[in-house]
Amino acid sequence: MKDLVILGAGTAGTMMSNHLAKRLPDDWRIRIVDQRKIHHYQPGYLFIPFGTYKEEDIIKPIQQFIPERAEYIQQSILKVDADHNRVYLEDSRVLDYDVLIIATGTDIAPEEIDGMLGDHWHKSVFDFYTLDGAVKLHEKLESWEGGHLAVHISEMPIKCPVAPLEFTFLADAYFEQRGIRDKVKISFVTPMDGAFTKPVASAHLGHLLEEKGIEVVPNFNIMSLDGERKVITDYEGREVSYDLLVTIPTNKGADYVERSGLGDELNFIPTHKGTLQSKAKENIFVIGDATNLPASKAGSVAHFEGEILLENVMRFINGKELLDEFDGHANCFVETGHGKALLIDFNYTHQPVSGTFPIPGVGPLNLLKESRMNHMGKMAFKWIYWNMLITGKHIPFVSSKMNEAGKNFEEANV
Amino acid sequence: METTIAGQIIDLNNEGYLTDLNQWNKEVAAQIAQEEGIELTDGHWPVLEYLQEQYRNEVPLSIRKVGKSGVVDIKQFYALFPGGPLKKASRIAGIPKPASCI
Ligand SMILES: Cc1cc2nc3c(=O)[nH]c(=O)nc-3n(C[C@H](O)[C@H](O)[C@H](O)COP(=O)(O)OP(=O)(O)OC[C@H]3O[C@@H](n4cnc5c(N)ncnc54)[C@H](O)[C@@H]3O)c2cc1C
């Protein structure tokens, strides 16, 4: 009997268990570990603060999505001993493996910013990257009478890098619907050059912020937060004051990654960008948000990675050369409020492009243009997520490598 | 886009970043730094070398990573390259602009 162990049963881990259950030879056992009982549809967190989704709309039991062939183990991972091909779990169980797939994603680490945690946490300073944060923020927004809302990114990289911007657009629309938009000042505070930093995206989309009356505070690298004075300060001494701060705290990989000596300074795992093999060991592969790849941390990226990772695990166990093919393909809907959305498509070397998706020249989705159809696409993504993405079914017309037909290209500056 | 910096022909992208690190040398760095309003001192070179080394090893860079490098801490990094330290230092080091989302 040979052993394949998957760490993490979120988007990527669940998807891989389904892919592998179909392809691995019979003498392989599959085990998958996660600390949770419940799978969260994380893209849904964005809509909870505005009451569009409730908690029960975006959660389902993990077990329901794990194939029969795989054993699901609900436990916290303590450590990987990569030299001896072993995983240690909190209940002191030890799992030996021949091949390990790491898919433990990333989580917020508000403790990384001086003063961010405190009595004010989830009172005047909120996150919406956790279910708990999103639900508490919903309660706050319902009773909020207005003031200065600062939407803030602590540092890059973060998962779903467009989510903060989407939150900002949705907040603008939400306050308008409540009839208090004139009582709310909205700022977007970012460590990057601007809200959109790639030239093509910023040329196409920069106007949206201005139209919606959203102030951008760029190049702001937060050093500390003062919950009493309601001020954030950056490394150059600049201050932004707020009444309500919605922040994306530092994103980090899981703590056991650090204990196992497998991560970088944010516990992301150095990974070969074309093959998804870890740099530390040949029999450890990494997928999804847990990698240090210069690709976006998004469910769509994990999906594109999955096809290549499946192929490479099969090649690895058969002693064949790995495919060096992952191109960083990402594709994200961007909610812009009032029932409209944009769609962006890009990879390691190409900037977001305009054109149509998924069928060249036909669509039905329009890249880089606001439309109701794109919004419907975003809402339909939930169904696709539960029924196709994490169950490892092929999504029609959408391939792991970026399709270059029907799109207007410009090379990215990378 | 070709341009002449410190008497040499250099390829730059439309944001003014070198497209070929092989064309970089200390004179080129000094002149780009001047455009950024920075006078290069002994404190700057180790940072620039660190950035280039990370780039050659394909390690994505962040301000935090530089702060933990042991070469400088974040405050010193800001003091050396005021404004946008990683952006400016990358440009002076002749490596691509740090990747960000959209
Ligand atoms: C607000 C928000 C909006 C988003 N919107 C979109 C979107 O529109 N489109 C899109 O494509 N993506 C979106 N994403 C991103 C997407 O959800 C993630 O990129 C995706 O879930 C990554 O999958 P993953 O498997 O790598 O990690 P995850 O799905 O996060 O799974 C990691 C799993 O590992 C487990 N784990 C971690 N540490 C341990 C441990 N020590 N022991 C045991 N188990 C552990 C966790 O419990 C978790 O179940 C969004 C994310 C957020 C937060």
Side-chain angles (χ1 to χ4, degrees):
Chain A
M1 199 62 154
K2 300 243 178 149
D3 273 301
L4 181 137
V5 172
I6 301 174
L7 302 183
T11 311
T14 303
M15 177 185 72
M16 287 315 295
S17 73
N18 283 294
H19 278 318
L20 288 160
K22 286 178 223 142
R23 289 278 302 276
L24 273 183
D26 289 340
D27 60 335
W28 280 79
R29 169 165 67 169
I30 306 173
R31 288 178 292 179
I32 176 164
V33 186
D34 199 295
Q35 63 208 357
R36 290 187 180 154
K37 264 203 179 73
I38 300 293
H39 191 123
H40 294 195
Y41 171 66
Q42 296 176 43
Y45 293 169
L46 173 67
F47 297 97
I48 287 196
F50 308 106
T52 317
Y53 288 151
K54 300 244 167 318
E55 180 170 346
E56 58 270 23
D57 297 332
I58 63 162
I59 57 173
K60 290 181 196 277
I62 288 181
Q63 188 82 60
Q64 191 178 324
F65 300 94
I66 305 295
E68 243 167 66
R69 188 179 159 183
E71 181 191 348
Y72 177 59
I73 302 173
Q74 195 211 329
Q75 268 302 319
S76 206
I77 301 147
L78 277 187
K79 196 178 162 174
V80 175
D81 179 352
D83 290 333
H84 299 98
N85 302 326
R86 265 188 201 143
V87 178
Y88 292 86
L89 304 183
E90 196 164 63
D91 65 353
S92 66
R93 229 183 306 180
V94 181
L95 309 180
D96 290 301
Y97 62 81
D98 295 287
V99 172
L100 184 70
I101 295 179
I102 299 185
T104 38
T106 171
D107 206 346
I108 60 165
E111 68 279 5
E112 289 288 335
I113 305 295
D114 193 22
M116 191 172 275
L117 287 178
D119 292 341
H120 47 270
W121 182 247
H122 291 174
K123 301 233 167 46
S124 55
V125 179
F126 290 83
D127 79 285
F128 66 95
Y129 267 45
T130 58
L131 186 53
D132 182 43
V135 167
K136 297 220 165 90
L137 179 54
H138 173 56
E139 289 160 14
K140 175 77 180 185
L141 285 179
E142 273 191 320
S143 60
W144 200 49
E145 299 295 333
H148 183 194
L149 166 68
V151 183
H152 166 251
I153 300 174
S154 294
E155 63 182 297
M156 296 302 288
I158 57 171
K159 63 179 147 186
C160 199
V162 294
L165 205 53
E166 297 181 272
F167 179 89
T168 310
F169 290 148
L170 291 175
D172 164 71
Y174 171 84
F175 293 126
E176 211 162 278
Q177 268 154 26
R178 276 191 47 202
I180 60 165
R181 181 62 182 90
D182 58 336
K183 298 204 182 74
V184 181
K185 174 183 167 190
I186 304 181
S187 309
F188 186 78
V189 186
T190 167
M192 293 177 281
D193 290 12
F196 298 99
T197 55
K198 295 201 171 160
V200 174
S202 113
H204 274 81
L205 306 174
H207 67 100
L208 285 172
L209 290 142
E210 218 169 294
E211 273 168 32
K212 295 174 195 286
I214 294 161
E215 176 200 46
V216 179
V217 182
N219 299 317
F220 189 96
N221 277 288
I222 187 169
M223 185 177 73
S224 60
L225 182 150
D226 184 335
E228 217 153 283
R229 281 176 59 226
K230 296 193 173 163
V231 180
I232 49 176
T233 307
D234 81 353
Y235 279 100
E236 292 183 293
R238 278 192 299 169
E239 293 193 338
V240 171
S241 60
Y242 59 84
D243 297 303
L244 178 57
L245 184 78
V246 174
T247 185
I248 317 302
T250 304
N251 279 205
K252 285 178 83 174
D255 289 341
Y256 82 84
V257 172
E258 185 175 5
R259 285 194 291 275
S260 311
L262 287 172
D264 66 11
E265 69 286 345
L266 287 169
N267 303 343
F268 294 123
I269 302 171
T271 305
H272 287 285
K273 69 182 203 181
T275 65
L276 304 173
Q277 192 174 42
S278 75
K279 294 205 171 163
K281 284 276 283 198
E282 283 190 350
N283 63 342
I284 301 182
F285 292 84
V286 197
I287 181 169
D289 295 351
T291 74
N292 77 333
L293 298 184
S296 286
K297 296 190 184 298
S300 62
V301 176
H303 167 71
F304 298 134
E305 289 171 342
E307 293 179 23
I308 285 156
L309 181 56
L310 173 65
E311 188 56 38
N312 277 345
V313 169
M314 296 310 296
R315 284 174 177 238
F316 179 77
I317 65 177
N318 290 312
K320 292 198 194 131
E321 203 182 317
L322 303 187
L323 287 180
D324 189 357
E325 283 202 345
F326 183 61
D327 67 356
H329 188 187
N331 120 2
C332 304
F333 289 101
V334 184
E335 278 293 296
T336 51
H338 303 288
K340 291 190 184 169
L342 304 155
L343 181 61
I344 53 176
D345 201 46
F346 54 100
N347 65 16
Y348 287 142
T349 51
H350 290 93
Q351 289 204 37
V353 291
S354 52
T356 55
F357 184 87
I359 308 172
V362 178
L365 304 172
N366 250 311
L367 296 164
L368 275 180
K369 259 201 208 115
E370 258 189 303
S371 77
R372 291 193 187 278
M373 191 61 145
N374 288 341
H375 169 70
M376 284 155 70
K378 172 121 188 167
M379 298 325 257
F381 186 60
K382 185 166 126 204
W383 189 91
I384 292 177
Y385 183 90
W386 292 120
N387 293 286
M388 302 178 91
L389 201 152
I390 62 172
T391 53
K393 295 207 179 72
H394 186 69
I395 301 178
F397 310 117
V398 180
S399 70
S400 63
K401 280 205 245 166
M402 190 158 149
N403 183 346
E404 304 196 354
K407 292 175 188 165
N408 309 315
F409 273 107
E410 198 170 311
E411 291 288 324
N413 307 299
V414 286
Chain B
M1 177 174 67
E2 272 187 4
T3 181
T4 309
I5 299 180
Q8 301 170 66
I9 297 183
I10 304 281
D11 292 305
L12 295 181
N13 71 15
N14 55 8
E15 292 181 284
Y17 286 74
L18 263 66
T19 53
D20 179 3
L21 181 53
N22 291 320
Q23 296 176 337
W24 183 93
N25 60 39
K26 290 194 166 182
E27 288 75 45
V28 172
Q31 185 161 335
I32 297 177
Q34 224 166 34
E35 285 174 29
E36 295 280 3
I38 294 168
E39 193 71 45
L40 292 183
T41 64
D42 288 349
H44 291 91
W45 297 110
V47 181
L48 298 176
E49 280 159 22
Y50 169 78
L51 295 179
Q52 290 173 343
E53 189 190 314
Q54 299 302 309
Y55 170 68
R56 288 195 190 96
N57 294 329
E58 295 194 344
V59 180
L61 281 159
S62 65
I63 293 202
R64 170 186 290 260
K65 173 156 276 162
V66 177
K68 285 205 175 171
S69 63
V71 181
V72 277
D73 65 25
I74 298 184
K75 285 216 142 158
Q76 292 164 334
F77 191 34
Y78 267 96
L80 289 170
F81 303 93
L86 190 56
K87 249 176 0 192
K88 287 191 180 174
S90 297
R91 186 165 170 242
I92 298 167
I95 66 172
K97 189 172 170 183
S100 41
C101 170
I102 57 162

